[in-house]
Amino acid sequence: MIKRSNTKQLLAESLLDLAASKSINKIHVRDITDNCEISYPMFYYYYKDMDDLINSIFREDVEKKLEDEPEVIDYEWTLNRIAEVIHEKSDFYLNVLQNTSGVNSLYNYSAKYLLEYFEERMSKQFEHHEIPEHLKTMLEFHVMGIRSKTCDMIVNGTLKTREFIINAFTDALPSDLRPYLLSQKAS
């Protein structure tokens, strides 16, 4: 049985606990609430659905890793932190990626989240904090590509070393984006 004080944290821990021994698509909201002894309606007070809970776990994991982010955007540093998140809960994220799909799935949410993160950090370098449209499009293609490749490698069991992946993703960064995403030391 899970023991925490925060209800949202209890629900997240309950899902993680259940996902350790069960396919995520076989876990229902009632299973989560029964596992942590919280009333079924309380789940919907905090989350819209299972995807919302899964995405919340991902977002909180990433935000914790990015708390000490450098003042100047550093693409490689950020990718390292995200790799740590995936590594630390690799079984959970594998379970989620293999057994969920849809518009609100982690697969789609992770790209949206990372795109917003990089856009927010990058926009500070432009007048009026507006990234030129062609750069936004390049960034979107790049983030969607690295998300797709990472998820494919996780699901297929072909995930390479962190260093290999970060080097490959950095090498694949369009030259027009490099001045805005790579730290001064890396450019």
Side-chain angles (χ1 to χ4, degrees):
M1 191 60 52
I2 310 290
K3 299 287 184 210
R4 299 273 176 150
S5 57
N6 177 310
T7 302
K8 284 183 79 168
Q9 197 173 27
L10 267 168
L11 292 166
E13 292 291 331
S14 181
L15 175 60
L16 291 166
D17 181 54
L18 293 168
S21 60
K22 194 175 187 180
S23 174
I24 203 89
N25 60 350
K26 303 284 188 212
I27 300 171
H28 303 284
V29 170
R30 177 83 56 201
D31 299 326
I32 295 168
T33 58
D34 287 351
N35 189 46
C36 63
E37 299 179 346
I38 290 178
S39 70
Y40 179 79
M42 281 303 285
F43 179 92
Y44 293 101
Y45 178 80
Y46 292 103
Y47 301 105
K48 293 182 287 191
D49 53 26
M50 285 284 286
D51 284 332
D52 191 28
L53 172 55
I54 292 166
N55 295 338
S56 175
I57 291 169
F58 174 78
R59 182 180 57 253
E60 288 179 24
D61 286 347
V62 171
E63 286 174 357
K64 284 178 192 169
K65 290 292 181 185
L66 299 178
E67 283 178 342
D68 61 341
E69 66 187 333
E71 191 67 32
V72 176
I73 191 167
D74 186 336
Y75 181 75
E76 293 174 7
W77 180 90
T78 304
L79 290 181
N80 263 301
R81 296 304 137 337
I82 294 165
E84 287 174 13
V85 166
I86 294 167
H87 176 74
E88 288 170 4
K89 289 185 181 163
S90 59
D91 291 340
F92 173 72
Y93 289 118
L94 174 62
N95 188 346
V96 168
L97 292 171
Q98 287 179 326
N99 299 298
T100 62
S101 62
V103 171
N104 297 319
S105 67
L106 179 64
Y107 180 81
N108 289 321
Y109 178 81
S110 61
K112 179 181 178 272
Y113 179 87
L114 294 175
L115 184 60
E116 288 173 359
Y117 172 82
F118 284 121
E119 282 180 348
E120 188 270 327
R121 294 297 308 239
M122 219 173 112
S123 69
K124 295 175 182 177
Q125 301 173 56
F126 293 93
E127 186 175 347
H128 305 296
H129 297 272
E130 291 183 31
I131 302 170
E133 196 61 35
H134 75 285
L135 292 178
K136 283 180 86 166
T137 301
M138 280 183 195
L139 182 62
E140 185 174 357
F141 276 114
H142 184 70
V143 168
M144 298 294 186
I146 66 171
R147 177 276 320 261
S148 294
K149 187 59 182 170
T150 302
C151 291
D152 287 349
M153 288 188 295
I154 291 169
V155 169
N156 295 328
T158 58
L159 197 59
K160 308 284 190 217
T161 66
R162 183 183 313 175
E163 183 178 289
F164 177 89
I165 293 169
I166 291 169
N167 287 336
F169 290 167
T170 302
D171 290 346
L173 194 60
S175 59
D176 288 356
L177 290 177
R178 288 175 172 273
Y180 304 105
L181 292 177
L182 294 177
S183 67
Q184 301 297 6
K185 65 176 175 40
S187 51

